[in-house]
Amino acid sequence: MSKVMVVTSGKGGVGKTTSSASLGAALAQAGQTVVVVDFDVGLRNLDLVMGAERRVVFDLVNVVQGDAKLPQALIRDKRIETLSLLPASQTRDKDALTEEGVGRVIDELREKFDWIICDSPAGIEKGATLAMRFADLAVVVANPEVSSVRDSDRIIGMLDSKTRRAELGEKLEKHLLLTRYDPARAARGEMMKVEDVLEILAIPLLGIVVESPDVLTASNLGCPIPLQNPGSAPARAYAEAARRLMGETIAVTTPAERRGFISRLFGRKAAVA
Amino acid sequence: MSFLNFFMRNRSAPVARERLQVLLAHERALSGRQDLAAVLQQEILAVIARHIAIDRDKVVVKLDRGEQVSTLEIDIEMPEQALARD
């Protein structure tokens, strides 16, 4: 039974595309077949983050409009064969997508993949509503920062009203993925803590991805972090999140402050947030 | 792996710069000419279809954009009778 999962946030720049690619890679590493679909028509970037920018021929708009067959537009990842990408068009705008056409493509993808990850554009316009329209579950990506949390709340409201599942009165699971979390700043009271965000948004926590230079490195290299640097803290967070999505029960631990070289030398305990 | 990463960490920015330069050079050149690869594929297929009945599912299109050379690879599986003499 395949699952359609939208990765959304409302606000831009919080890590939707990075998280879509990373969750996709982590699920693929766990043995699932995965396609990540870029819904950001006109401003595609998933291809770049996944290192496939030189290989795009056809895209989601071509398939929706019937100019290309789905297999012609799918790009298989060169590093892990159970992972594929369906890119967005760069030269069109969001009006090129229709609900009926997107529904048809998603149905076709359901036959081929265990997971269909819809990488939503920022905002609450057509691109974002179409990305969430056919979702079975949603990952809301948020940073511990006021505008991101506010926009997440707005998006949660839309998930509960604008999706097909919501309209049919069916349950749509929603999960919070907290990214760019800095445990040291949270401990000093300079940043909202995990509990603060959870209390406000009141949806279950899928994972915490700490602020880390490793994320930029992976993006620079065009390789999702679970493939590029599996031992890093963000990669482990995404791998655990993937296992939770697959139904495993793993407690989410609040990441400890990163221990510096000196404190490791002297064996001092790192502060735990 | 982590030993390799230690060095890679400092070197990933030039990789990012180079990837963007190649990509943007192509995208800027293509602006105004929508989906050149898609147009080429459509027209090539139309020409072939005029002479041979081809199955759209048996057509594989691959693109690889390089700094010096880009390749558009169109692989069409011909039906058995296509080249048989009448």
Side-chain angles (χ1 to χ4, degrees), chain A residues 197-226:
Chain A
V197 182
L198 279 175
E199 190 190 319
I200 297 166
L201 294 178
I203 58 172
L205 184 63
L206 180 67
I208 304 163
V209 183
V210 289
E211 173 82 62
S212 160
D214 297 334
V215 175
L216 180 61
T217 305
S219 153
N220 281 344
L221 299 173
C223 184
I225 197 161

Side-chain angles (χ1 to χ4, degrees), chain A residues 220-238:
Chain A
N220 281 344
L221 299 173
C223 184
I225 197 161
L227 303 176
Q228 192 266 326
N229 189 357
S232 64
R236 290 202 307 269
Y238 282 117

Side-chain angles (χ1 to χ4, degrees), chain A residues 128-270:
Chain A
T129 53
L130 277 177
M132 69 170 65
R133 183 70 191 154
F134 301 97
D136 299 315
L137 72 158
V139 171
V140 177
V141 183
N143 297 161
E145 179 269 327
V146 287
S147 58
S148 170
V149 174
R150 179 203 204 175
D151 292 358
S152 295
D153 189 65
R154 180 86 201 274
I155 278 292
I156 290 169
M158 291 182 67
L159 288 166
D160 286 333
S161 61
K162 302 257 165 128
T163 55
R164 204 171 54 167
R165 272 191 175 242
E167 284 178 8
L168 293 171
E170 291 171 19
K171 188 170 168 270
L172 181 120
E173 278 176 50
K174 299 176 291 283
H175 302 274
L176 177 69
L177 186 66
L178 197 61
T179 57
R180 308 201 71 164
Y181 187 72
D182 187 332
R185 299 193 73 186
R188 290 199 297 268
E190 296 169 11
M191 180 183 267
M192 278 187 283
K193 288 192 170 156
V194 179
E195 305 85 80
D196 300 332
V197 182
L198 279 175
E199 190 190 319
I200 297 166
L201 294 178
I203 58 172
L205 184 63
L206 180 67
I208 304 163
V209 183
V210 289
E211 173 82 62
S212 160
D214 297 334
V215 175
L216 180 61
T217 305
S219 153
N220 281 344
L221 299 173
C223 184
I225 197 161
L227 303 176
Q228 192 266 326
N229 189 357
S232 64
R236 290 202 307 269
Y238 282 117
E240 281 193 7
R243 285 166 59 196
R244 287 186 196 104
L245 287 170
M246 290 166 66
E248 275 185 59
T249 312
I250 313 164
V252 186
T253 49
T254 307
E257 188 184 337
R258 241 184 110 138
R259 292 170 73 187
F261 179 65
I262 300 295
S263 68
R264 241 181 304 178
L265 257 188
F266 291 95
R268 273 194 289 141
K269 276 233 158 171

Side-chain angles (χ1 to χ4, degrees), chain A residues 44 47-59 62 66-69 72 78 89-92 213-214 216-223 227-230 258, chain B residues 1-2 5 8-9 11-13 15-20 22-23 27 30-31 33-35 37-39 41-42 45 56-57 59-67 72:
Chain A
R44 76 166 171 229
D47 56 329
L48 197 51
V49 168
M50 292 178 73
E53 72 276 6
R54 295 183 183 199
R55 298 167 62 207
V56 178
V57 189
F58 297 112
D59 53 59
N62 294 136
D67 295 331
K69 298 263 184 183
Q72 296 174 327
K78 283 189 170 167
S89 170
Q90 184 70 338
T91 52
R92 311 292 281 274
D214 297 334
L216 180 61
T217 305
S219 153
N220 281 344
L221 299 173
C223 184
L227 303 176
Q228 192 266 326
N229 189 357
R258 241 184 110 138
Chain B
M1 189 69 188
S2 61
N5 285 335
M8 289 299 279
R9 186 165 296 164
R11 291 210 195 126
S12 69
V15 180
R17 202 187 107 147
E18 200 181 300
R19 290 173 62 218
L20 276 173
V22 171
L23 176 67
E27 285 189 350
L30 281 175
S31 69
R33 288 188 293 154
Q34 278 198 357
D35 306 332
V39 172
Q41 192 255 10
Q42 289 292 339
L45 279 185
R56 283 280 299 273
D57 292 335
V59 180
V60 180
V61 185
K62 280 185 195 157
L63 179 69
D64 200 341
R65 286 180 237 255
E67 214 163 340
L72 175 68

